[in-house]
Amino acid sequence: MRRLDQVAFGFAKNLAVYATGRSLSFNELEGLRKQCLKLKPAGYRVRDMIHLVDRNTMKFVDINDTVCRNTGLSREELLQRGPDLDVLKESLEELAERYDRLILDRTTSRCASVSVDALGRVRDLEIYSRATCIDGRWIIIGVMRDVTRRMEMIRSTAKLQRMYSALT
């Protein structure tokens, strides 16, 4: 099995164990492996930006196509670079510390950020991260969701509320 397939399978296995609250049997693991290989291409086409980061090297292990489209960079360029510290508004040391907390606490972190996409548009992002151990290596799974429309509605609603409050 290729390394990226192992990471995808390990992620799916850990997710299944987390969701069911029990260890999986051999037959369940084999079924999951087959499903994972079928579902992996779908993960590259989702609207959310998904990336896997190796905690030791602080480089991407894998990214989906949405990350490439939104950054305007090729997969190869992104795999060489690692997480964009400008988007995350963190230094490498702060990011490593946050990843270490994820590993120790076994929790999910959520942070918000503002970024500029490949077309120069300002985007509001929610970033969820979780750590999982695959083959003895800690992998940080990150999902970035563009919440620009929701944030625009929230800002618009707040503006209208201020306007109506000024009238009374």
Side-chain angles (χ1 to χ4, degrees):
M1 195 184 295
R2 289 187 11 230
R3 178 76 186 133
L4 295 180
D5 291 338
Q6 288 175 328
V7 170
F9 173 71
F11 171 65
K13 181 180 98 176
N14 288 326
L15 187 61
V17 169
Y18 178 76
T20 62
R22 63 180 179 79
S23 295
L24 301 177
S25 69
F26 177 78
N27 289 338
E28 289 172 317
L29 285 173
E30 283 304 307
L32 181 62
R33 184 183 319 273
K34 290 174 186 171
Q35 288 300 316
C36 184
L37 293 175
K38 289 179 193 174
L39 293 175
K40 186 179 175 194
Y44 286 103
R45 295 187 302 267
V46 296
R47 293 179 66 180
D48 292 338
M49 294 169 271
I50 301 171
H51 59 271
L52 305 176
V53 178
D54 184 317
R55 169 56 189 92
N56 292 337
T57 63
M58 296 298 285
K59 299 279 185 203
F60 289 123
V61 174
D62 198 7
I63 52 174
N64 70 350
D65 293 339
T66 310
V67 176
C68 299
R69 275 195 311 276
N70 282 296
T71 61
L73 299 171
S74 71
R75 178 178 307 283
E76 293 73 29
E77 290 173 301
L78 287 166
L79 290 173
Q80 292 299 315
R81 293 176 60 167
D84 189 342
L85 301 174
D86 293 332
V87 170
L88 298 172
K89 308 289 190 255
E90 294 177 292
S91 69
L92 189 59
E93 293 78 24
E94 291 169 327
L95 182 61
E97 185 178 303
R98 183 161 64 87
Y99 285 175
D100 290 340
R101 276 194 313 273
L102 288 174
I103 293 167
L104 290 174
D105 297 342
R106 304 269 201 272
T107 59
T108 300
S109 76
R110 179 195 169 278
C111 60
S113 184
V114 177
S115 180
V116 177
D117 68 11
L119 300 175
R121 299 175 297 195
V122 176
R123 310 312 270 166
D124 291 297
L125 300 174
E126 279 181 349
I127 306 165
Y128 292 88
S129 301
R130 185 170 189 86
T132 188
C133 188
I134 301 171
D135 295 333
R137 298 188 66 102
W138 284 100
I139 303 296
I140 309 302
I141 302 157
V143 178
M144 293 185 287
R145 177 166 289 165
D146 185 338
V147 293
T148 304
R149 288 180 54 186
R150 179 174 14 131
M151 296 308 290
E152 287 170 350
M153 288 189 311
I154 290 170
R155 288 188 287 267
S156 179
T157 302
K159 181 180 176 182
L160 286 172
Q161 182 181 8
R162 287 191 304 273
M163 288 172 44
Y164 285 122
S165 293
L167 293 174
T168 58

